[in-house]
Amino acid sequence: MAINWTEAQIEQIVKSVMGAMNTTGSDAITYDATSYCGRKFIGIFETMEEAIAASEEGYRAIRSMRVEDREKLITSIRDFCREEAPIMGRLGVAETKMGRADHKTAKHRLVADKTPGTEDIVSAVKTGDNGLTLTEMAPFGVVGSITPSTNPSETVICNSIGMIAAGNGVVFNPHPNAIATSNYAVDLVNRAVYAAGGPRVLVASVVKPTLDTANVMYKHPSIRLLVCTGGPGVVRSVLSSGKKAIGAGAGNPPVIVDDTADIKKAARDIIDGCTFDNNLPCIAEKEVFAFDSIADKLIEGMKKAGSLLITREQADALAEVVMTEVTAKDGSRKKIINRDCVGRDAAVILAKIGIKVGPEIRCILCEVPFEHLFVQTELMMPILPVVRVKNIDEAIELAVKAEHGCRHTAHMHSKNIDHLTRFARAVETTIFVKNAPSYAGIGFGGEGHTTFTIAGPTGEGITSARSFTRLRRCVMVDNFRII
Ligand code: NAD
């Protein structure tokens, strides 16, 4: 594929790369919602209205593009994303204080390599005695997307690839705690699109995202589809917006390990999955239900894979630190997660209860009863509670309860097909991973495409370009058949 660059485009690319490389030679990076190391972002606006107007203009510009040319925009986004993955990995950690730069870099490369493009948009034809009917996947126009703090730039780029491949413009209302990282990704998409012959701004965002800017997005007549990726609050809010909405919500993925599993492998896989980006991914293993007969061996394996087993007393002390008591709207007291501990290294979390460990400890392991807060709460920290169970009936019953009906993700290590099938049927999750780390479920070492917007509540599942289209039908009666 040959791209004919204009001089302005070449100048823009050079500027972006220089800015992205942080040529100051120091490790210090400077960033805010509108710039990175002195380079001003493209597509970031003071108001949501301006951001929507800009993406609408971009959408109009790509409407007349051939699909072949739209695919060139996608190829360019993939290239930029691959190239700048380490920068976004570091920036994400620096800004949010969550996760691991190397894992975030890997997540961006996964997005670049395995997010479907225009090949996902396919047409259907029906012919019969009355002629021909064609069904095509058409864009909505401008999509409004709300993105999380846990995978900020990954979600912006992954959604952009799918939404642009479907022919849409996009406006983002990112998480305020990850605004620089998210807006970096918005800028990256615009730079990549422009470099491949697209409009100057196709995706847009705001300087200061708030609930008010989200509401402008919900009500604006130009926004025809809302896509929200986050916890239960935002999914509820977007689903009551009165607009077509895709909701990708919270999970609390359980893992069952039965007595037929390859225990050593299961232990390694679970710790690899649970500690990936310090447990930030919504699909990551959050609690283990282990058959009593293999639990000791499993825990030994997990310790060898880089976990520290703490006592029940230490686990309770840790719960006091990683959870905070607040007053709910109805006046009752409830415990919520302490944001300062989310996505932190195991060593940082353990230090809060006076336990010092080195970086070789990547997971905090504890044996607790089913009712424990660690089992019941989506912690998003490298803390893994293990609950002993007698048999498969108890394992499935408790694992389904711990998933809290999110129907998001569940995992199982077993060679017993009946057990695997029974759990998959009972838990009804969007993703079910057998005998592998959780990230296999989003295409990392597993088959299938990737996404960072897993739409369980609204049913689109592992979203891709086609999720962001509307179906349109064209009918020709008594003609266009060749038989
Ligand atoms: P969060 O719910 O705090 O924020 C997500 C986004 O929603 C942010 O942009 C936030 O500003 C916005 N928001 C929150 N409440 C809102 C409201 N009432 N109206 C409008 N906007 C609102 O989530 P987070 O901490 O950034 O991310 C972690 C959560 O997201 C976890 O629960 C995780 O499971 C979930 N998540 C789900 C997926 C998925 O694909 N299903 C992917 C990533 C994260």
Side-chain angles (χ1 to χ4, degrees), residues 163-178:
M163 290 166 185
I164 295 170
N168 301 290
V170 195
V171 65
F172 289 96
N173 201 55
H175 197 295
N177 295 352

Side-chain angles (χ1 to χ4, degrees), residues 178-213:
I179 188 61
T181 313
S182 309
N183 284 356
Y184 184 107
V186 167
D187 171 68
L188 178 147
V189 171
N190 284 323
R191 282 186 280 126
V193 163
Y194 188 60
R200 197 76 205 85
V201 174
L202 181 52
V203 300
S205 172
V206 288
V207 176
K208 201 169 181 299
T210 59
L211 293 187
D212 289 340
T213 53

Side-chain angles (χ1 to χ4, degrees), residues 146-151 173-176 211 214 218 229-231 233-234 237 248-251 282 339 378 380 408 452-454:
I146 296 185
T147 50
S149 58
T150 46
N151 319 304
N173 201 55
H175 197 295
L211 293 187
Y218 291 176
T229 317
V234 65
S237 108
C282 51
R339 282 275 171 183
E378 186 199 25
M380 296 182 286
H408 192 299
F452 278 81
T453 295
I454 300 154

Side-chain angles (χ1 to χ4, degrees), residues 450-467:
T450 201
T451 186
F452 278 81
T453 295
I454 300 154
T458 46
E460 291 77 7
I462 321 298
T463 55
S464 61
R466 66 179 60 192
S467 315

